[in-house]
Amino acid sequence: MIALVISSGTNMAFPTIMGKVIDRTAGREDAGSRIPDKVFFAGAFGIFACGSIASWVRTYSIGVAAHRIMQRLRTKLFGRLLEQDVAFFDEHRTGELVSILTEDTEIAADTVTGKAANGMRSASSALNGSIMLLTLSPRLTLVSIALLPLVGVGAMGYSRRLKRLAARQREDAADASTFAEERLSQLRTVRAFGRERAEAQWYRELCDGSTELARRAASARGAFMGGLSASANASLVAVLYFGGSLVARGAMTVGDLASFAMYSSLVGLGFSGLSSFAADLSKGLASAERVFMLMDATPAVPLDEGLTPPLESVRGELVLEGVTFRYPSRDKDVLCGVDLRVPAGAILALTGPSGHGKSTLAALITRLYQPTAGRISLDGVDTATLSPSWLRGAVGVVEQDPVLFAGSVADNIKYGRPGASAADVEAAARAANAHQFILEFPDGYNTKVGQRGRQLSGGQRQRVAIARALLWDPPLLLLDEATSALDAESERLVRDAMEKLMDRENRTLLIIAHRQSTIQKAHTVAVLRDGRIVESGSYADLIARSGGELAALMSGGELAA
Ligand SMILES: Nc1ncnc2c1ncn2[C@@H]1O[C@H](COP(=O)(O)OP(=O)(O)O)[C@@H](O)[C@H]1O
Ligand SMILES: [Mg+2]
């Protein structure tokens, strides 16, 4: 701040000193008040040196402050984003979120530091310059500001137009980056269908939209800048013309006129700086608004508010009563009044045709979404009153299509429990039938799995995910059985791993199953169709029922043998 004042102060002194230099050489200054040349120039250079140092300090401290603010905004925002509901991510595009996280935080930080400092400097040049102009010559000042109102009107229209264009440009950029992110991360699908050129063309079209907007913004900026420099030139000509006549009449010295001309260009720069600051400010405010809108978004399902009974006391009885659910983005109920009871330590296989709500039910049990109606309870306690993060510690999940993170195999198995020992990791991997193939990798447990675990096969990924859930060691485990991407051998290994889990006594298991062998091993089988449990009982009873749902699914080939 001090540096800012000093550096703009020396900037302001510059024209006066220059005027004095001219008058000094022209011999116009009063001989009586004359300071010796040596002292005068030493003083002038001293002032300039102070100005340079202050300018360094200002640039440095603003640069550092801007970065700190940006980092703080980013880390805070990222933390907030991770706390948002799963439904939030159904509605927001990743590209948009990433651009707010990276670009808007930067713009907002730059606005309150560098841009604000520039604005203050401009304001001070405009203000102090105007005062200097008035003291040098009030009449000439009037001449020089004659065009100012016109410039002001232009600046306002310009900034409004720019704001509109910038908003649309952002939308387009978010579309394009979401598109690019998705296509690049799913390159195999693009390649499989030979869509490389077509996708490139599509991307070009997405970008072309913003090119047109950029062209319009640039044209507006050009028009404004052109107008600004024309009016600056016109006012300079007017100043020199009238000033010249004042000098000729002896009402002003040449040096004062030169100072005046320099001050008026400083004032001009000040005003143009202010107008671009106004544009920057509106852009910065828009960015800040987006950042704070996300920052203030409160998840409907908070992370860790609610009861946290001791985990050891959990028996694992799960009861669903009249559970109804509709995705916020859809207008039809996916689940309509589901009633289901899984006794502690039991194995329940949930089966049914694809797309009828099985995975959705699993998501509701861990409260990734909030049921629209009905109640889910664990050991008789409504899960809505439990702390969601505690609940997720008690209910482990192996998703249908699990995703691993870039890092080593061991890192992925330890994801929920980073402090786990190597022995525990290995035990979990053995239980999940993963130990063998991991040992065959060149680096064993330290082998990198690539982004999203892409360097592993589907069956390997599935088994690493099972190991990850086992190390988490929850009293209740939800397994969404993988149906795709598994060859016969890894399918057998995955199934074997799951069946080993089913043999363990002390854990409640809810398995979303598609295979007869899995279903057969469960104590109870429930069939979900059209969002309702249409049948439940033991496998033997259900399969024997003539006209039963399970029997129909089996004979219809919808479930694998
Ligand atoms: N995130 C989501 N947003 C909106 N609809 C979804 C979402 N996930 C799944 N659905 C819809 O919910 C229905 C049930 O899906 P799901 O529970 O995955 O079925 P299943 O696991 O039985 O195959 C489907 O019609 C699907 O289109
Ligand atoms: Mg599913």
Side-chain angles (χ1 to χ4, degrees), residues 409 413 425-441 445 457 459-468 470 489-501:
V409 177
I413 296 177
V425 170
E426 192 184 311
R430 276 183 196 278
N433 274 352
H435 181 65
Q436 207 53 44
F437 82 78
I438 295 172
L439 279 195
E440 284 164 16
F441 286 144
Y445 281 86
S457 78
Q460 292 172 336
R461 221 168 26 234
Q462 193 91 26
R463 280 176 281 159
V464 170
I466 293 176
R468 179 169 69 182
L470 287 181
E489 174 62 5
S490 45
E491 188 188 308
R492 192 185 61 74
L493 289 167
V494 170
R495 193 169 59 211
D496 191 43
M498 289 185 39
E499 284 167 8
K500 259 201 260 175
L501 288 181

Side-chain angles (χ1 to χ4, degrees), residues 15-49:
T16 306
I17 295 170
M18 287 300 130
K20 296 278 182 237
V21 170
I22 294 177
D23 280 348
R24 185 170 286 267
T25 48
R28 290 291 300 269
E29 210 174 351
D30 295 348
S33 68
R34 200 171 169 134
I35 316 166
D37 272 357
K38 243 195 276 176
V39 178
F40 176 81
F41 283 109
F45 283 113
I47 290 174
F48 295 156

Side-chain angles (χ1 to χ4, degrees), residues 86 90 327-330 334-335 352-361 369 400 480 512 514 528:
V86 171
D90 288 344
Y327 282 101
S329 55
R330 297 284 166 92
V334 176
L335 298 172
S354 158
H356 284 231
K358 299 183 298 297
S359 300
T360 304
L361 196 65
Y369 295 91
Q400 195 161 17
D480 206 340
I512 297 173
H514 309 270
L528 185 74

Side-chain angles (χ1 to χ4, degrees), residues 89-98 170-171 174-175 178:
F89 294 94
D90 288 344
E91 282 158 26
H92 289 80
R93 292 165 301 174
T94 326
E96 182 194 333
L97 296 177
V98 170
R170 253 190 56 79
E171 276 291 305
D175 281 344
T178 304

